[in-house]
Amino acid sequence: MASVPDPSELAGHGVRVPARRHGTLRRALSWIAEHSFVAIGGRWLYRSRHLAAGRFVERFETVLVPGLDPALEGLTIAQLSDLHAGAFLGPGDLSAVVAAVARRCPDMVVITGDMIAHHWEESLTVLDDLAQLQSPLGTYAVFGNHDYRGRNEGRIAEAYAERGIRFLRNECVRFEMGNGVLALVGLEDLEEAKDVDLDKARGPVQVGDVEIVLCHNPRGASAIAGAGCTAILSGHTHGTQVDLPVLRRLGPQHPGLRLDLGTTTLIVSRGLGVVAVPMRVGVPAEVVYLQLKGCSPL
Ligand SMILES: [Fe+2]
Ligand SMILES: [Fe+2]
């Protein structure tokens, strides 16, 4: 696994982070690699090695919440991330993942961005699979940096909304349960969105709510964390995807799978899909389950 840098490496970034710019040579190499792997059955290879039953990881994370209302005790959120539908992930490839999530009976499902690899239509190829994810509180999603390509993210949101999956775009949904409230906040992507507005997204959140923030890029976590924010769910890093010296540096900085930022817990998913090459080395695809557990008030 990748080393886990000190959490202070996340500090100093505002909620917005500069977009990574890829040079022409790197883009060309990525294009050549992707098309070469497609020609030799890269999608089949990836599905059989990383998305078949028993090939991906189900990671369970418990987050302690002081004074949690009994109605929220044990509430479980299943997190999928970084699908990157496209050359290496398409219709039916998530069937084992969907079946695994269904067996866990989560209270809610969230998808933390990077639905596509290149084109917005790719998101439609996995919609039949994702629409099967049923839970009492529903399925919610945010966009990742890839999803803004061509500026068609609104079309993705519309298509998904028709199938019951709602994208939160600087928005919040509050779920009242017993005397407690779960506030689910979704941010636009910190690198590529035209408008990232944390204050607007948090507007409906009230003191005492259990606030969970969906934010594709974990680099904004230090700006989001703080009193009242229970957890941040991110993805983006693919856990480095290829965990080898030098190669791991080609991807986005991976801060670790779980970090405590004061009273806020940051969970970073290693995701399900890939970019450029249909392989993961030392980094499994995964579904994360976050479960709330009450503890004594501070
Ligand atoms: Fe990604
Ligand atoms: Fe990303």
Side-chain angles (χ1 to χ4, degrees), residues 77-153:
I77 300 173
Q79 179 195 11
L80 285 65
S81 195
D82 295 80
L83 311 180
H84 290 291
F88 305 133
L89 196 150
D93 291 346
L94 292 170
S95 57
V97 171
V98 169
V101 173
R103 281 195 292 275
R104 300 294 178 188
C105 301
D107 297 285
M108 177 190 293
V109 178
V110 299
I111 309 171
T112 47
D114 276 359
M115 312 298 294
I116 65 170
H118 302 294
H119 308 291
W120 80 272
E121 293 98 331
E122 293 166 338
S123 69
L124 306 181
T125 67
V126 292
L127 188 45
D128 282 346
D129 289 321
L130 297 175
Q132 294 178 44
L133 293 166
Q134 300 294 319
S135 62
L137 300 180
T139 301
Y140 297 85
V142 290
F143 288 122
N145 51 308
H146 278 251
D147 301 319
Y148 298 84
R149 295 193 178 180
R151 297 293 165 187
N152 284 307
E153 70 276 10

Side-chain angles (χ1 to χ4, degrees), residues 20 82 84 113-114 144-146 189 191 216-217 235-238 252:
R20 291 171 301 134
D82 295 80
H84 290 291
D114 276 359
N145 51 308
H146 278 251
D189 180 66
E191 285 186 359
H216 175 69
N217 192 322
H236 185 56
T237 69
H238 303 192

Side-chain angles (χ1 to χ4, degrees), residues 207-225:
V207 175
D209 288 0
V210 175
E211 182 190 19
I212 308 286
V213 179
L214 309 181
C215 177
H216 175 69
N217 192 322
R219 287 184 64 194
S222 60
I224 298 169

Side-chain angles (χ1 to χ4, degrees), residues 26 31-32 36 44 78 100 107 113 119 130 132 138 148 159 177 187 196 267 270 292:
R26 191 166 156 183
W31 188 92
I32 291 169
S36 300
W44 173 85
D107 297 285
H119 308 291
L130 297 175
Q132 294 178 44
Y148 298 84
M177 305 174 74
L187 272 184
V196 181
I267 303 290
R270 288 172 284 201
L292 302 180

Side-chain angles (χ1 to χ4, degrees), residues 26 48 82 93 114 135 137 141 152-153 156-157 160 164 199 201 219 233 248 268 275 281 298:
R26 191 166 156 183
S48 60
D82 295 80
D93 291 346
D114 276 359
S135 62
L137 300 180
N152 284 307
E153 70 276 10
I156 299 175
Y160 273 57
D199 290 338
R219 287 184 64 194
L233 299 181
R248 77 169 66 108
V268 184
V275 292
V281 178
L298 296 173

